[in-house]
Amino acid sequence: MKKIAVIIANGSEEIEAITPIDILRRTSAQCDVFAVGEKTVKCSHGVSITADYTIDNFDYSGYDGIVIPGGMPGATNIANCEKVVEAIKHLYKQGKLVSAICASP
């Protein structure tokens, strides 16, 4: 079973976060949602999403991929998190899935 992490932060675009989470959870993949900062984030259009974990609990070594939704200032908040940047670099070097959506690249 593939294990995918979705990273969210205050200001993330709701549809760019929820759609991949929904699709992944309908498959045989394990999808875990990690929040930068508090466990509940307020997205770019006012929708609140509660993550499974905070980024403090993210051990990216066990993951097959990472999804980073866009949205502003969510993309900036995620990019400013050193642990996320470290995870992206590690997964990329391992040839794992790195999926940055819209403003996140």
Side-chain angles (χ1 to χ4, degrees), residues 6-23 33 41-50 67-75 78 101-102 104:
V6 177
I7 311 298
I8 59 173
N10 283 323
S12 289
E13 171 60 47
E14 293 90 331
I15 200 160
E16 295 173 12
I18 293 170
T19 301
I21 294 165
D22 181 45
I23 292 168
V33 181
V41 303
K42 188 172 183 181
C43 293
S44 61
H45 295 94
V47 175
S48 294
I49 299 175
T50 301
V67 177
I68 309 105
M72 293 305 282
I78 293 169
I101 302 170
C102 199
S104 281

Side-chain angles (χ1 to χ4, degrees), residues 7 36 54-60 66 78-89:
I7 311 298
V36 173
T54 64
I55 202 69
D56 298 331
N57 304 108
F58 187 30
D59 177 10
Y60 52 81
I66 188 169
I78 293 169
N80 289 334
C81 179
E82 290 180 30
K83 189 157 190 175
V84 175
V85 173
E86 179 183 317
I88 291 168
K89 288 178 181 179

